[in-house]
Amino acid sequence: MRIALDAMGGDFAPQAVIEGAILAKSSLPADVEILLIGREATIREHLAKHNVSPSLFGIINADEVIEMGEHPTKALTQKPNSSIAVGFGLLKAGKADAFCSAGNTGAMLVGAMFSIKAIEGVMRPAIAGYVPKEDGRTGIILDVGANADCKPEVLNQFGELGSLYAQYVLGIEKPKVALMNLGEEEQKGTMLTQATYQLLKANTKINFVGNIEGRDMFNDKADVVVADGFTGNVILKMAESIYEIMHARGIKTDSFFDQMNYEAIGGSPIIGVNGNVIIGHGVSSPLAVTNMLRQAQQMVTADIHTKIKNALNEHSS
């Protein structure tokens, strides 16, 4: 198994990224090879600082870097030898089984859509966020930022994509799918959520349990929460801020609140594309990078994109 990692992506790259890769190397299975993509001389310099042999990693040279503030489409076109572009090239060519980056989120989305492309039948790939549950389990919410405006049909498919991910990656049998809304009743919400409710209700491919409110986000009512990218992103960022505020005020946390720390998960997968892609937080620390790589290993092991492709083929036949 080969996991490609953008060594130049993130506010604290390359130092934090390479430190995270070193940490991950000792905890991942022996058959997992980490490919560090970026300026080779810089990568080797940072490995030497930690007295780590370059032979422990695959090093792929990429002279260019897409900065955080650059326009995604223009940057990918103008910088074909950037670490993000090279990473997607490896993924497309089958020379990597997953690609992770804490770099420019827009470039990661554009790269996924135009390089490995959406799985046939997927209307809009989604970014998923992990949701800690009070009982110790983990659920997901999608979308959390890729699609701010959605049609009911797209949200309905998010329910299917999320259900497959929860089943095969998180190991949840018959995941409960719910629609985030401003009330539990069927007739509540906007025109979008009301129309989406009817599609989800009639969808025999998922275990739809109805609407949930924001207060139900962390309980056991749902394993998969469906939302448009605008709503999902607000929820995700608010959850992250709870941990940050508690940490800043010196409030003792526990295992539940610790899962709201972005470092604990490491990144957000893009679901619905022909490959395993994870977008890390821009301020990713070494621990966050380590957990992003672990998440990538889980996705590759589950072969989730193939499972989604097969499921959509079955439904269309």
Side-chain angles (χ1 to χ4, degrees):
M1 181 188 302
R2 293 187 180 93
I3 301 175
L5 175 63
D6 176 8
M8 314 307 290
D11 294 346
F12 305 117
Q15 181 175 330
V17 179
I18 292 173
E19 287 180 8
I22 294 170
L23 284 171
K25 189 64 181 174
S26 61
S27 60
L28 288 171
D31 66 339
V32 176
E33 181 182 8
I34 300 173
L35 308 177
L36 297 173
I37 307 171
R39 292 169 178 145
E40 183 172 354
T42 302
I43 293 172
R44 290 182 179 276
E45 178 185 337
H46 280 274
L47 289 173
K49 287 181 182 178
H50 294 281
N51 296 314
V52 173
S53 172
S55 63
L56 293 176
F57 300 92
I59 300 177
I60 311 296
N61 186 58
D63 294 328
E64 298 171 312
V65 177
I66 295 178
E67 303 296 342
M68 289 298 204
E70 289 191 73
H71 187 281
T73 306
K74 288 181 180 178
L76 281 168
T77 302
Q78 296 169 359
K79 295 182 175 180
N81 197 37
S82 66
S83 51
I84 289 179
V86 171
F88 277 114
L90 292 172
L91 194 59
K92 183 179 180 180
K95 296 179 180 179
D97 300 297
F99 177 43
C100 305
S101 175
N104 187 305
T105 299
M108 287 294 289
L109 279 169
V110 172
M113 291 299 294
F114 290 96
S115 179
I116 58 174
K117 302 184 179 352
I119 293 170
E120 186 176 356
V122 171
M123 290 175 271
R124 294 272 192 91
I127 301 176
Y130 279 58
V131 179
K133 298 294 183 177
E134 291 178 289
D135 61 6
R137 297 180 304 111
T138 301
I140 61 168
I141 177 172
L142 68 165
D143 183 29
V144 294
N147 306 280
D149 295 303
C150 297
K151 294 181 179 179
E153 294 79 12
V154 172
L155 290 178
N156 179 49
Q157 191 174 69
F158 286 173
E160 296 178 27
L161 297 177
S163 184
L164 290 165
Y165 191 91
Q167 180 183 351
Y168 292 113
V169 179
L170 301 181
I172 303 172
E173 187 176 352
K174 202 175 180 183
K176 293 177 286 188
V177 179
L179 177 64
M180 179 55 67
N181 210 330
L182 49 75
E184 295 181 354
E185 297 84 359
E186 183 172 337
Q187 68 274 15
K188 285 290 184 70
T190 63
M191 292 179 65
L192 172 63
T193 55
Q194 288 179 38
T196 300
Y197 186 103
Q198 297 306 318
L199 294 178
L200 291 168
K201 181 181 178 181
N203 193 335
T204 58
K205 308 180 193 90
I206 60 174
N207 177 24
F208 182 56
V209 296
N211 289 325
I212 63 168
E213 299 176 289
R215 63 182 176 182
D216 300 316
M217 189 71 189
F218 305 111
N219 60 32
D220 64 355
K221 286 191 176 181
D223 303 301
V224 178
V225 178
V226 175
D228 61 79
F230 184 95
T231 303
N233 189 269
V234 170
I235 292 172
L236 178 70
K237 296 295 174 60
M238 184 181 68
E240 289 178 355
S241 75
I242 292 173
Y243 174 84
E244 292 169 0
I245 291 169
M246 293 178 70
H247 183 71
R249 297 194 173 197
I251 300 173
K252 184 178 180 181
T253 59
D254 59 20
S255 57
F256 171 74
F257 287 106
D258 287 344
Q259 291 303 306
M260 290 185 176
N261 178 9
Y262 80 92
E263 293 177 307
I265 300 301
S268 298
I270 302 178
I271 303 178
V273 293
N274 286 296
N276 301 299
V277 181
I278 300 179
I279 301 174
H281 205 296
V283 294
S284 285
S285 65
L287 177 59
V289 172
T290 297
N291 286 326
M292 178 164 57
L293 290 167
R294 287 175 180 161
Q295 186 187 148
Q297 185 258 333
Q298 292 172 348
M299 290 177 66
V300 174
T301 301
D303 197 18
I304 183 60
H305 69 284
T306 301
K307 298 281 199 325
I308 291 173
K309 186 184 301 183
N310 292 340
L312 291 177
N313 287 337
E314 287 175 11
H315 297 156
S316 62
S317 61

